[in-house]
Amino acid sequence: RAQYLLAWDLECEFNNTDHRTELNGVEQLIVRRGQPFTINLHLRSGGYKPGGSALNLTVETGPQPSDQYGTRASFGLIDQIDTSRWSAAVTSPPGYMVSLSICSPPDAPIGRWRLTLGQGGLVEFVLLYNPWCTGDVVYMDSEEKLTEYVLAQDGIIYRGSWKYLIPTPWNFGQFEDGILEACLRILEMNPKCLRNPGKDASGRKNPIYVSRVLSAMVNCNDDKGVLLGRWTNDYDGGVSPLSWKGSVEILRNWDTNACQPVRFGQCWVFAAVACSVSRALGIPCRVVTNYNSAHDTNSNLVIERYVDENGQLVQKSRDMIWNYHCWVENWMTRPDLKPGYDGWQAMDPTPQEKSEGVYCCGPIPLKAIKEGELTYKYDAPFVFAEVNADVHTFMKRKDGSTEKIISSVQVGLKISTKSVGSDRREDITHLYKYPEGSDEEREAFTKANHQNKLLQQQTNAGLLIAIKVSAEMKKGCDFDVFAVVMNNTPNGKKCRLVFGSRAVSYNGILGENCGFKDLLNVELAPGEEKRVPLRMNYSKYAENLTEDNLIRLAALLLDYGTREAYLAVRNIVLENPEIKVRILGEPKENRKLVAEITLQNPLPVPLQNCCFTVEGSNLTGGQIITEKLNSTVEPGQDAKVKIYFTPTHSGQRKLVVDFDSNKLCHVKGYRNVIIG
């Protein structure tokens, strides 16, 4: 007979800790699939006797639960838990209190579930992916990697340029209050769920499906997604993407404002939010940065660039080369592909091109990109082009004619992610491509029908041009950059050299002129090398720089004798000042701490409206702390504040800092705090 239930205890603290979800809090039951959890039942009459007591359980998820789709199951008690299906067993001696062990299969759909206990009780719980479970398709066999790619609530995202990488701290905050609810809401608001909720709930068993949904829902281009992208310098109605320090505020804003898109994001923000959501749901995830990233709009694996007679880019095509581009990699097996394509899968939530009619990209195995398998799902040609496209540069003359010019631009450089367990950079270029010029590379290009790259023969040009820079290029200083020209021919050469600089945003959009030189008579004897300096004055570049602190240098050499043109291009990043963070006192759980934060004004002008903002998972109580300075900070002087916060959990955490003012915007810094 069905026992009459008096009460039940979900043992949230025990279960959540056992399932590594306790950082979400212990107010609700949050468990991982394929792993048993315990609930205690208090019986009103007669107590529990093995064999004499029946208890039927039913679990359901989604609005249209069905046994056929794996979104509903009914089961009774068995002697021992079966981890391959929904099952339950009693683990306590006979009596009025019954300990029940319940297990879901390792391929159960994730999300909110309802558990009915006999006729007596209804229990709600959240089920997540389980990368600790060998039967789960997101299983990862290294505790160290799981700590980094699932449990770490902060990290480093690489920005800047391939010659000057800028590690930027980020607070993923996937276990902060309310974030898991926001992540589940993303799944519930996706158009596939709104169209066919029963089928969508069933689809959530598969991380390939969920990754694809996240890729579409982190941007708002086709749906009620999280972020609106903006790549101009006009951020009216929102904030600059550089002002974000973490995902928590973004996800909360979206969740509490009726799923209105948060304004604004750019690639690293889209990627970071996707990483937070993936980790929250239990999919191992990391943010990666590809330097000199090609955006190939017509799938011909060629980026065509046009310059004028001064060597400056003119926009004739939608094809672009971004200074860097960020996406994420999610870890899973790919049973839908032939063996050998499990592991890291690239997934890109930045809205660039449509895939199956929606702005999303991936997941695609890194190995498919490396091997040139462009028919594999999903979106292999676009990602392959990002790291492998060929660049052709043409000069458009005033008379309207165009001619190809000699220029060496490589895409797909220094693909980077944060190392496991440390703040060092890990170079993962080798996971995306074979060494340049190797037989394997040629084989991959043949498979991908990348004829341009196969036909390329490196010709040793008679004239060489390169751009060299000063050792230090700090924002606020004047410095020199150099065009270096070399004559490798046996004959004297007479040339024109045009050397210019323009502000540029990280996605390749050009701004105003920052310095220019046009030399009509450059004479080079056989074997001679000349260095031509161009002075970069703060007074000239200050007002033109975008928040990215990037300047594009272009040197164009025209050989009067042969009419050949040679182009060298280099993006430079101006260094922001360092933010120094000193922790006063011994960091202990639930004890107030003080951080002393300092930044020296490097500019020759005073700073006004100075403001420090700080956040950190389990450090600042899920909030952003803001400290404004009332006084002006003169050149060479320090902007200094003290910030008070109370850590809530032990372990290492990042205190992420942002400094903003009228002349110096969004300078980032951080300090690792180890809480005892």
Side-chain angles (χ1 to χ4, degrees):
R1 59 192 168 81
Q3 293 291 337
Y4 191 70
L5 284 173
L6 186 64
W8 54 86
D9 180 355
L10 299 183
E11 296 288 349
C12 292
E13 188 163 353
F14 170 79
N15 285 317
N16 291 10
T17 303
D18 193 41
H19 286 247
R20 300 174 176 86
T21 64
E22 76 283 0
L23 285 175
N24 287 299
V26 290
E27 293 74 43
Q28 62 172 333
L29 182 60
I30 304 167
V31 293
R32 298 187 185 276
R33 60 189 196 173
Q35 181 179 338
F37 59 94
T38 301
I39 59 177
N40 292 330
L41 309 180
H42 300 273
L43 307 182
R44 186 179 292 252
S45 58
Y48 168 76
K49 299 179 189 66
S53 310
L55 179 65
N56 285 317
L57 297 96
T58 303
V59 287
E60 299 179 325
T61 185
Q64 301 159 356
S66 116
D67 294 73
Q68 183 193 348
Y69 286 125
T71 50
R72 181 184 184 279
S74 291
F75 49 101
L77 298 177
I78 53 176
D79 291 341
Q80 221 174 351
I81 280 290
D82 178 352
T83 55
S84 68
R85 61 187 175 95
W86 283 103
S87 61
V90 172
T91 57
S92 59
Y96 286 100
M97 200 279 286
V98 177
S99 269
L100 209 55
S101 185
I102 302 172
C103 193
S104 62
D107 62 350
I110 61 148
R112 300 178 202 278
W113 284 78
R114 303 172 295 283
L115 165 64
T116 310
L117 304 157
Q119 273 91 55
L122 178 68
V123 166
E124 295 196 337
F125 64 97
V126 173
L127 190 67
L128 301 176
Y129 292 112
N130 192 352
W132 284 269
C133 168
T134 51
D136 198 316
V137 290
V138 298
Y139 172 67
M140 197 174 225
D141 66 355
S142 154
E143 197 60 49
E144 205 187 1
K145 287 181 181 172
L146 286 161
T147 301
E148 181 70 55
Y149 297 136
V150 182
L151 300 179
Q153 291 197 77
D154 47 50
I156 300 280
I157 298 171
Y158 291 91
R159 296 175 44 253
S161 76
W162 74 277
K163 292 265 188 170
Y164 185 75
L165 291 75
I166 298 176
T168 305
W170 191 269
N171 179 31
F172 294 113
Q174 68 270 31
F175 302 122
E176 291 283 20
D177 200 29
I179 296 304
L180 180 57
E181 281 66 29
C183 296
L184 294 173
R185 194 170 183 190
I186 288 172
L187 299 182
E188 288 151 17
M189 293 306 296
N190 101 75
K192 290 176 180 173
C193 181
L194 301 176
R195 271 198 306 274
N196 188 338
K199 190 178 174 193
D200 175 78
S202 171
R204 291 179 199 173
K205 64 177 66 157
N206 184 353
I208 303 168
Y209 175 81
V210 168
S211 294
R212 201 150 167 77
V213 164
L214 293 185
S215 168
M217 280 297 292
V218 169
N219 69 70
C220 67
N221 287 40
D222 317 275
D223 44 48
K224 281 190 166 302
V226 178
L227 276 160
L228 179 62
R230 175 68 55 92
W231 282 269
T232 61
N233 271 342
D234 168 23
Y235 302 122
D236 281 357
V239 299
S240 155
L242 270 167
S243 69
W244 304 114
K245 294 168 292 305
S247 310
V248 177
E249 191 184 3
I250 295 169
L251 288 165
R252 276 194 191 141
N253 285 356
W254 177 80
D255 191 33
T256 54
N257 291 315
C259 308
Q260 289 301 304
V262 177
R263 299 159 186 258
F264 293 101
Q266 288 176 1
C267 71
W268 72 94
V269 186
F270 287 109
V273 170
C275 182
S276 296
V277 179
S278 297
R279 288 183 185 181
L281 298 177
I283 304 173
C285 183
R286 62 188 185 185
V287 178
V288 304
T289 303
N290 176 40
Y291 288 95
N292 283 13
S293 192
H295 181 161
D296 176 23
T297 53
N298 57 4
S299 304
N300 67 349
L301 300 178
V302 176
I303 304 293
E304 294 187 345
R305 306 205 303 176
Y306 293 83
V307 297
D308 60 21
E309 290 181 73
N310 290 330
Q312 294 299 336
L313 269 183
V314 287
Q315 222 49 59
K316 250 181 76 90
S317 127
R318 280 184 59 227
D319 286 357
M320 302 281 285
I321 295 174
W322 292 27
N323 214 44
Y324 62 88
H325 180 51
C326 301
W327 56 77
V328 293
E329 293 170 1
N330 282 357
W331 179 271
M332 65 194 73
T333 62
R334 289 299 297 264
D336 57 325
L337 302 176
K338 69 180 189 189
Y341 290 84
D342 299 341
W344 289 118
Q345 316 283 320
M347 184 263 272
D348 190 348
T350 299
Q352 296 179 91
E353 299 296 320
K354 285 192 172 186
S355 169
E356 297 179 340
V358 177
Y359 278 101
C360 68
C361 178
I364 178 74
L366 269 51
K367 187 166 180 219
I369 301 302
K370 187 169 180 173
E371 301 294 344
E373 297 284 6
L374 300 198
T375 57
Y376 282 25
K377 287 182 171 173
Y378 289 88
D379 310 307
F382 186 77
V383 182
F384 182 85
E386 286 183 303
V387 298
N388 282 313
D390 206 11
V391 184
H392 293 180
T393 309
F394 300 89
M395 184 159 70
K396 199 168 173 20
R397 295 192 181 275
K398 287 195 183 79
D399 62 11
S401 64
T402 57
E403 64 182 86
K404 196 168 178 187
I405 61 177
I406 298 159
S407 176
S408 60
V409 176
Q410 280 180 297
V411 304
L413 301 172
K414 283 196 182 168
I415 305 175
S416 302
T417 191
K418 177 189 175 298
S419 287
V420 172
S422 92
D423 287 345
R424 286 195 300 275
R425 181 181 78 91
E426 183 183 347
D427 193 303
I428 54 169
T429 312
H430 63 282
L431 298 181
Y432 283 86
K433 48 210 276 194
Y434 284 106
E436 193 99 4
S438 64
D439 291 348
E440 294 91 341
E441 183 199 47
R442 295 189 75 77
E443 215 170 292
F445 286 164
T446 305
K447 225 182 272 179
N449 198 20
H450 196 1
Q451 300 303 336
N452 292 292
K453 275 275 174 131
L454 290 169
L455 296 172
Q456 260 183 17
Q457 291 299 318
Q458 285 303 317
T459 52
N460 191 5
L463 286 174
L464 292 178
I465 183 158
I467 293 171
K468 302 282 182 202
V469 299
S470 303
E472 281 199 338
M473 295 179 286
K474 293 188 187 301
K475 192 169 180 177
C477 297
D478 300 344
F479 56 90
D480 286 324
V481 291
F482 304 91
V484 181
V485 291
M486 173 88 182
N487 179 8
N488 277 341
T489 72
N491 310 314
K493 288 282 186 186
K494 200 170 177 184
C495 307
R496 176 185 173 195
L497 173 67
V498 186
F499 192 11
S501 62
R502 284 172 75 177
V504 64
S505 61
Y506 88 95
N507 63 327
I509 305 289
L510 286 174
E512 294 302 313
N513 169 31
C514 296
F516 182 77
K517 189 175 261 188
D518 189 352
L519 303 177
L520 295 173
N521 272 320
V522 178
E523 296 197 3
L524 293 163
E528 187 183 3
E529 179 181 295
K530 275 191 175 158
R531 282 169 81 88
V532 179
L534 180 65
R535 189 74 173 159
M536 306 301 295
N537 292 311
Y538 175 75
S539 59
K540 180 89 174 157
Y541 68 70
E543 296 307 317
N544 296 331
L545 273 187
T546 70
E547 293 181 331
D548 297 310
N549 279 358
L550 285 166
I551 295 175
R552 181 180 184 273
L553 306 173
L556 181 68
L557 191 66
L558 297 156
D559 182 339
Y560 287 128
T562 63
R563 285 185 60 79
E564 280 182 320
Y566 304 82
L567 178 70
V569 175
R570 180 163 173 178
N571 286 349
I572 58 171
V573 190
L574 303 193
E575 246 178 285
N576 270 327
E578 183 192 357
I579 292 179
K580 293 184 172 146
V581 184
R582 237 167 39 108
I583 302 294
L584 311 176
E586 191 189 346
K588 285 261 190 254
E589 220 173 307
N590 300 317
R591 185 197 285 177
K592 198 176 233 186
L593 268 185
V594 184
E596 185 184 81
I597 304 173
T598 317
L599 173 141
Q600 188 182 52
N601 177 7
L603 307 184
V605 294
L607 298 180
Q608 286 158 344
N609 310 328
C610 298
C611 176
F612 286 96
T613 49
V614 172
E615 70 175 280
S617 286
N618 307 134
L619 293 176
T620 58
Q623 304 303 314
I624 290 168
I625 302 172
T626 302
E627 278 293 333
K628 292 183 174 163
L629 271 73
N630 297 324
S631 54
T632 298
V633 180
E634 296 297 332
Q637 274 191 349
D638 283 349
K640 186 185 277 192
V641 294
K642 280 186 176 167
I643 297 225
Y644 298 85
F645 61 98
T646 307
T648 51
H649 289 83
S650 60
Q652 181 173 296
R653 304 278 184 261
K654 278 184 174 53
L655 192 67
V656 180
V657 185
D658 177 272
F659 173 83
D660 203 19
S661 70
N662 63 332
K663 296 286 185 187
L664 201 55
C665 300
H666 304 306
V667 181
K668 307 286 182 196
Y670 74 95
R671 173 72 186 260
N672 287 328
V673 185
I674 298 168
I675 299 121

